[in-house]
Amino acid sequence: MRTRTHRLALVCGTAVVATGGLLAGTPTASAAAAEANCNYIDDSARPTVSPGDTGDAVRQVQCLINYYSGYPNWLEEDGGYGSYTLEAVHWVQTCNATTGGADGIVGPSTWSRLYTPKPDCDL
């Protein structure tokens, strides 16, 4: 009986510590997943990305949209900037009121909002 009580206390204590971490502002699961998964290019390398482009910079854009932006549809991280990526970039640009508007070009303003989108963007 005493062993069961100690196990229950250990489980409850672990749950309290885990909940306290969440309340203290630790990274969310999606942010942690993005840090683990969105590493196609260095975070400081933010080249201009436009429709028709291919490569790792496009994959980075697609990944950041998936994990950070709140965009309601999942993008294939295939590295091709096609119509689905363009639609998602337009959504991010409109939702975040990026400089230049919804032009589909991922420049400094859009890169910034891909890494730190406005909270509660939902159009």
Side-chain angles (χ1 to χ4, degrees), residues 62-82:
Q62 293 165 332
C63 187
L64 293 170
I65 288 171
N66 285 337
Y67 285 100
Y68 282 128
S69 74
Y71 183 64
N73 302 315
W74 192 260
L75 291 175
E76 183 71 29
E77 293 171 28
D78 61 4
Y81 194 142

Side-chain angles (χ1 to χ4, degrees), residues 1 24 27 30 33-34 48 51 56-57 66-69 74 83 88-90 105 110 112 121:
M1 183 70 167
S30 62
T48 300
D56 287 340
N66 285 337
Y67 285 100
Y68 282 128
S69 74
W74 192 260
S83 60
V89 169
H90 280 159
I105 298 171
T110 304
S112 177
C121 268

